[in-house]
């Protein structure tokens, strides 16, 4: 048994807390000492969609509905509708505060409000990559698209906002979680969409691929259309951080171009913090807020169209 003292994060506003976590020899330690835990908040391994837990049945039901309804035509319709960015005008921080009202039903690892996850991710990255301020901010904002669940954004159902993402318009790779439920998706049997390339071509670039609709693609559109000065790697992370079939299973690599290959390196770094920083350790929001407000001012306009 190893005792991890979270006091090491106190300079960034995380409350000191002693947590006993079983540590295995193959435990993954990130660049500057961020220790990846072996179990999530429910006592199971991370992203274990088959674990017998309180949330397991609900998570699978979520993915069944998601896989049936995320079609090529549905995604085109949602991108056209939400790409207008005519819902709300507000700042990045105002959007962060809205996430206090959101819990992600697709996540088998955590049931805390999303603002906690944003700050846990950002602070873990900040500790290991202190000079990459764009990556800190990316950690903070990567899930802001989950505001789509709220009434002022159309109150979309969870299956159209959260969960793993994947390309539509080509075959659904078997590595996608709960793949069996795609058999009920009309695109599954459509010869225009059910081949390896579908409507795409080799090395066409992920930017030319339609992804299942959700918070990732929405936040990408918000950042891009509001002229953020974040680097392309940040936009890539925002858009594809839930694309686990790619960055965990190496699926769909035949569609990537060279820029995608370079940006994927940053996404794989980011993904470790996005996934494994989830915990019950709380972040002192008021203590870290001035730092993140300075980054928001650096990379975004004061008010954004959403």
């Amino acid at each position: 048994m190893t005792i991890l003292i979270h006091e090491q994060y106190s300079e960034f506003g995380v409350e000191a807390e002693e947590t006993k976590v079983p540590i295995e020899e193959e435990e993954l330690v990130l660049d500057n000492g961020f220790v990846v835990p072996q179990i999530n908040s429910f006592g199971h391994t991370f992203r274990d969609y088959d674990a017998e837990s309180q949330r397991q049945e609900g998570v699978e039901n979520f993915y069944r509905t998601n896989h049936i309804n995320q079609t090529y035509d549905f995604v085109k319709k949602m991108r056209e509708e939400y790409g207008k960015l005519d819902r709300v005008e507000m700042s990045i921080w105002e959007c962060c505060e809205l996430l206090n009202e959101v819990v992600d039903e697709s996540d088998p690892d955590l049931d805390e409000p999303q603002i906690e996850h944003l700050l846990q991710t950002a602070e873990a990255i900040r500790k290991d990559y202190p000079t990459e301020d764009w990556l800190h901010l990316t950690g903070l904002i990567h899930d802001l698209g989950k505001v789509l669940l709220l009434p002022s954004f159309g109150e979309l159902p969870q299956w159209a906002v959260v969960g793993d993402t994947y390309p539509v318009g080509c075959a659904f790779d078997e590595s996608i979680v709960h793949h069996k439920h795609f058999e009920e998706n009309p695109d599954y049997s459509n010869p225009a969409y059910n081949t390896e390339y579908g409507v795409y071509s080799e090395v066409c670039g992920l930017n030319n691929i339609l992804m299942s609709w959700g918070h990732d693609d929405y936040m990408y559109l918000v950042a891009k259309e509001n002229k953020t000065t974040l680097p392309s790697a940040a936009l890539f992370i925002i858009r594809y951080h839930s694309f686990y079939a790619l960055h965990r299973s190496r699926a769909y690599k035949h569609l990537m171009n060279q820029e995608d290959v370079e940006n994927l390196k940053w996404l794989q770094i980011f993904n470790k913090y996005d996934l494994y920083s989830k915990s019950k350790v709380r972040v002192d929001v008021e203590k870290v807020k001035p730092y993140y407000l300075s980054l928001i001012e650096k990379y975004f306009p004061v008010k954004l169209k959403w």
Side-chain angles (χ1 to χ4, degrees):
M1 180 77 73
T2 297
I3 298 179
L4 305 181
I5 306 297
H6 294 290
E7 188 176 8
Q8 59 185 323
Y9 290 86
S10 60
E11 61 181 304
F12 299 133
V14 178
E15 297 175 359
E17 179 178 314
E18 178 179 281
T19 304
K20 296 182 179 180
V21 180
I23 303 296
E24 305 294 337
E25 290 184 3
E26 66 270 24
E27 173 185 76
L28 176 61
V29 179
L30 301 183
D31 298 72
N32 194 30
F34 177 76
V35 180
V36 172
Q38 298 297 306
I39 56 174
N40 64 19
S41 300
F42 301 102
H44 301 291
T45 56
F46 282 85
R47 288 181 58 80
D48 186 350
Y49 289 95
D50 297 316
E52 292 297 329
S53 70
Q54 262 187 322
R55 305 196 77 204
Q56 188 272 336
E57 183 177 356
V59 170
E60 178 162 2
N61 287 336
F62 160 87
Y63 274 109
R64 180 178 182 274
T65 307
N66 171 280
H67 291 353
I68 292 172
N69 291 286
Q70 289 276 1
T71 65
Y72 186 78
D73 288 342
F74 170 76
V75 171
K76 286 181 66 177
K77 177 184 175 182
M78 299 306 286
R79 286 194 110 236
E80 180 179 353
E81 178 180 346
Y82 280 91
K84 298 173 184 175
L85 302 180
D86 58 358
R87 300 272 170 172
V88 179
E89 284 196 20
M90 64 179 172
S91 69
I92 289 288
W93 191 262
E94 287 173 321
C95 189
C96 289
E97 291 179 332
L98 280 180
L99 287 199
N100 279 323
E101 305 172 35
V102 172
V103 173
D104 183 343
E105 292 179 0
S106 74
D107 192 340
D109 298 321
L110 192 65
D111 58 356
E112 296 294 320
Q114 291 298 298
I115 187 66
E116 293 293 329
H117 169 53
L118 298 185
L119 287 169
Q120 288 169 352
T121 302
E123 288 293 279
I125 294 171
R126 185 181 175 191
K127 182 176 185 295
D128 280 4
Y129 291 86
T131 63
E132 305 289 349
D133 67 355
W134 66 270
L135 195 57
H136 311 164
L137 183 57
T138 302
L140 179 73
I141 70 172
H142 74 284
D143 273 349
L144 290 188
K146 291 180 181 180
V147 292
L148 290 173
L149 294 166
L150 302 178
S152 56
F153 291 84
E155 202 168 10
L156 292 181
Q158 291 258 344
W159 64 262
V161 179
V162 298
D164 287 17
T165 59
Y166 43 84
V168 294
C170 61
F172 301 114
D173 191 83
E174 291 187 1
S175 64
I176 301 170
V177 62
H178 293 305
H179 177 272
K180 62 185 178 182
H181 296 305
F182 283 120
E183 294 178 9
E184 299 177 72
N185 184 309
D187 289 358
Y188 184 83
S189 56
N190 187 331
Y193 303 137
N194 66 4
T195 63
E196 182 181 16
Y197 290 98
V199 299
Y200 311 116
S201 58
E202 187 174 9
V203 198
C204 62
L206 295 182
N207 194 48
N208 294 306
I209 304 297
L210 284 186
M211 299 292 294
S212 55
W213 176 252
H215 72 279
D216 310 61
D217 207 22
Y218 177 59
M219 188 59 206
Y220 163 77
L221 290 174
V222 169
K224 178 174 174 287
E225 297 304 320
N226 282 282
K227 311 300 183 186
T228 182
T229 56
L230 285 169
S232 64
L235 293 176
F236 188 91
I237 289 169
I238 291 168
R239 193 176 192 186
Y240 302 114
H241 68 270
S242 302
F243 189 5
Y244 281 90
L246 172 67
H247 51 77
R248 291 292 292 274
S249 302
R250 303 295 190 268
Y252 301 103
K253 293 188 74 172
H254 56 286
L255 301 175
M256 296 171 63
N257 60 24
Q258 189 56 44
E259 183 179 8
D260 295 329
V261 172
E262 294 303 314
N263 284 335
L264 180 60
K265 298 173 185 176
W266 280 109
L267 176 55
Q268 288 171 325
I269 289 171
F270 173 86
N271 178 251
K272 299 171 186 176
Y273 299 92
D274 181 21
L275 179 59
Y276 296 111
S277 65
K278 297 173 185 177
S279 72
K280 296 295 185 180
V281 179
R282 307 299 293 272
V283 176
D284 185 337
V285 177
E286 292 306 312
K287 188 170 184 178
V288 301
K289 181 178 178 180
Y291 174 69
Y292 289 102
L293 287 178
S294 72
L295 297 189
I296 292 168
E297 182 179 2
K298 178 178 179 179
Y299 290 105
F300 281 96
V302 175
K303 294 285 186 179
L304 285 72
K305 293 181 179 180
W306 300 77

